[in-house]
Amino acid sequence: MKLATLRNGQRDGRLVVVCDDARRCIDACPVAPTLLDALERWSAVEPGLQELSRTVNAPAALGAMPFDTHQCMAPLPRTWQWLDGSAFLNHGRLMERAFKVPPVADFETIPLMYQGAADDFLGPHDSVLLPCEADQIDFEGEFGVVLSETPMGVTAEAALEYVRLIVLINDWSLRAFGPREAKSGFGFLQAKPSTAFAPIAVTPDELGPAWQGGRVHLRLQSQRNGEWFGHPHGREMHFHFGQLIAHAARTRKLSAGTIIGSGTVSNTDVNAGSSCIAERRMVEVIAEGAPYTGFLQFGERIRIAALYADGMSGPFGALDQLVVMASRACGDKNPQ
């Protein structure tokens, strides 16, 4: 089943069920007006949503309308909690090599995770309004899962039972703030502006064999201004989503609608490219002694999509966003 949220002038939008080829959709309001409402009542509303999915995929498609991703908000325009992991260890190992920093304790056994802002997610074609190029604007392509209510202390094996939807994410970052905020011990704040999502959230069965072992077995392709930037594969995720969920739920329950991200998709094969500029710069430091790829400037465009093994577009649709100046002044702040 494929779900999306269309703009309707309300903060949480209007839930629709999307057909398999993403050309049509059908209003889900008779079953659940918003995706957050659906997640909070999943056992009650899932049969109705599945019936709508069968309707929109039928030849007659009674009640269907054209599906336009430009009318989409994020599948969940806001939610209770957004937790982002760092499950692709190659990304961290590159940082250790490039900047000669000591490895994080328990790097391979305890996931890294931060809590981001969940109140203002961006849709797939929303402009990314940011104040200053000097903040070192970067994109980060990753996969994520959306949960139903998950109990405290859930095991990694049982945690996958609470995954209701899978999403594609661009976790926008401002790298100039990162080092200071990481050293503070309080986590990221200014380094993480609003996160963006591809238009379609899918149930795990939609991925078929591409959903294995709590990992998304698809390539994540990024383009910068229409030029290839990378296509690393999701199968190299060290901590699977069950482990990330269990880590987050170790001391608290997780509300329905909680989103957990994989962190930047990263592969050991450098020919796979990168899912963020910071990683490409780390590869350049290791290979050539200094980075030369610049961070994003206003007016640049980033496109992110998942690809099947045959190169066909994956089930989420694409993020295609323009970076835009939010104000003319950077202010007096010094992000260093």
Side-chain angles (χ1 to χ4, degrees):
M1 183 166 53
K2 296 182 175 182
L3 302 174
T5 295
L6 300 183
R7 301 183 191 281
N8 66 348
Q10 302 298 312
R11 185 64 183 83
D12 296 302
R14 174 173 59 135
L15 180 63
V16 295
V17 181
V18 182
C19 71
D20 290 342
D21 63 9
R23 294 181 180 180
R24 302 184 304 275
C25 65
I26 191 168
D27 189 359
C29 287
V31 178
T34 69
L35 184 51
L36 186 56
D37 174 69
L39 289 161
E40 292 180 327
R41 300 186 296 120
W42 190 259
S43 61
V45 306
E46 183 186 16
L49 293 175
Q50 291 288 3
E51 182 59 32
L52 288 175
S53 181
R54 288 188 287 272
T55 298
V56 79
N57 280 296
L62 296 176
M65 54 190 167
F67 179 61
D68 180 2
T69 61
H70 287 83
Q71 298 303 314
C72 285
M73 305 171 75
L76 266 177
R78 57 179 174 174
T79 191
W80 304 115
Q81 188 161 220
W82 154 232
L83 303 170
D84 198 17
S86 183
F88 289 85
L89 298 194
N90 181 66
H91 184 71
R93 291 191 177 112
L94 286 172
M95 182 177 295
E96 293 168 7
R97 292 175 59 195
F99 302 116
K100 297 180 174 57
V101 297
V104 176
D106 303 311
F107 183 61
E108 297 189 5
T109 56
I110 300 177
L112 295 175
M113 186 173 287
Y114 78 90
Q115 184 163 334
D119 62 326
D120 187 33
F121 293 141
L122 300 177
H125 300 289
D126 289 345
S127 294
V128 184
L129 301 175
L130 295 169
C132 190
E133 292 173 343
D135 294 340
Q136 299 179 354
I137 304 166
D138 199 357
F139 66 95
E140 289 192 57
E142 55 186 90
F143 297 109
V145 294
V146 187
L147 308 178
S148 59
E149 185 171 305
T150 304
M152 180 173 65
V154 67
T155 66
E157 293 73 23
L160 292 174
E161 298 175 10
Y162 298 92
V163 173
R164 296 292 170 256
L165 299 167
I166 303 168
V167 291
L168 179 64
I169 299 169
N170 186 348
D171 182 36
W172 288 95
S173 296
L174 300 175
R175 301 296 185 184
F177 295 104
R180 178 184 59 80
E181 292 188 337
K183 291 176 183 177
S184 73
F186 274 72
F188 295 126
L189 180 66
Q190 294 173 335
K192 293 294 183 179
S194 296
T195 302
F197 289 77
I200 300 172
V202 305
T203 50
D205 60 287
E206 283 287 333
L207 294 185
W211 176 246
Q212 296 181 41
R215 298 173 176 87
V216 179
H217 287 243
L218 297 174
R219 291 198 178 277
L220 191 152
Q221 183 185 77
S222 302
Q223 295 175 310
R224 180 178 185 177
N225 302 320
E227 296 185 0
W228 177 89
F229 201 90
H231 61 237
H233 202 284
R235 63 176 168 241
E236 289 192 25
M237 189 176 173
H238 177 77
F239 297 105
H240 62 69
F241 276 111
Q243 292 170 299
L244 295 182
I245 296 165
H247 176 73
R250 175 65 180 83
T251 59
R252 55 180 168 173
K253 73 175 184 179
L254 305 177
S255 298
T258 294
I259 303 174
I260 294 187
S262 67
T264 308
V265 178
S266 178
N267 288 177
T268 56
D269 179 8
V270 295
N271 293 319
S274 301
S275 297
C276 68
I277 296 170
E279 182 171 300
R280 177 178 281 191
R281 287 168 61 88
M282 288 186 281
V283 171
E284 292 165 352
V285 168
I286 293 167
E288 304 182 39
Y292 55 85
T293 298
F295 291 105
L296 293 169
Q297 305 293 302
F298 296 134
E300 292 200 72
R301 183 175 293 277
I302 294 295
R303 187 179 192 277
I304 298 175
L307 302 178
Y308 288 112
D310 59 5
M312 296 294 290
S313 295
F316 308 103
L319 291 125
D320 191 346
Q321 297 183 277
L322 189 69
V323 181
V324 176
M325 181 189 296
S327 65
R328 291 195 171 273
C330 295
D332 297 328
K333 67 180 180 294
N334 178 4
Q336 302 296 336

